[in-house]
Amino acid sequence: MRKQDPSIAELTQMSVRVAELYSQHFGAPRDARFALMKLSEEMGELTGAWLQLHGQSRGAANRQDLENELADVLGFLLVLAHREGIDPAQALTQKWGKYLNAGA
């Protein structure tokens, strides 16, 4: 039997715990502003890995590099949502879900 994938809430809890460890280890702030700055940084790294993987930038990247950077972006996005009191599943459903319901 296949193990069930973690929920958004479980992924958020994990991301917040890791962000706390990161803050303790590096003395980084524990606020939404810092999470937003890290998200921006990680988005740049994701873009760089994607460009390298697809031969559109100097250097080399592999699929694992792209997956790692995507994980960093998702993790910091979930931390930012948590620190701002936003339920990401609810926000996505409200914003994107309306397009599915518009044609119904």
Side-chain angles (χ1 to χ4, degrees):
M1 185 160 99
R2 182 175 173 234
K3 181 182 172 191
Q4 187 176 7
D5 291 334
S7 68
I8 294 289
E10 291 167 328
L11 292 172
T12 298
Q13 289 174 349
M14 178 186 67
S15 298
V16 168
R17 285 195 314 265
V18 171
E20 287 297 319
L21 292 172
Y22 183 93
S23 292
Q24 290 171 6
H25 187 265
F26 294 106
R30 292 178 166 96
D31 59 6
R33 182 177 179 268
F34 180 75
L36 181 60
M37 294 300 121
K38 284 299 290 180
L39 178 58
S40 178
E41 174 190 340
E42 297 300 342
M43 203 47 225
E45 292 176 8
L46 174 63
T47 301
W50 187 90
L51 289 170
Q52 288 174 336
L53 183 64
H54 293 281
Q56 297 181 21
S57 179
R58 286 186 293 230
N62 59 42
R63 185 74 179 181
Q64 188 62 55
D65 295 329
L66 183 64
E67 290 176 11
N68 289 343
E69 296 306 335
L70 189 132
D72 289 344
V73 167
L74 179 58
F76 276 107
L77 181 61
L78 293 173
V79 169
L80 175 62
H82 174 78
R83 291 184 176 161
E84 285 295 315
I86 297 170
D87 177 339
Q90 182 182 19
L92 184 63
T93 300
Q94 286 176 343
K95 173 70 177 177
W96 288 44
K98 69 183 177 188
Y99 298 108
L100 298 176
N101 297 328

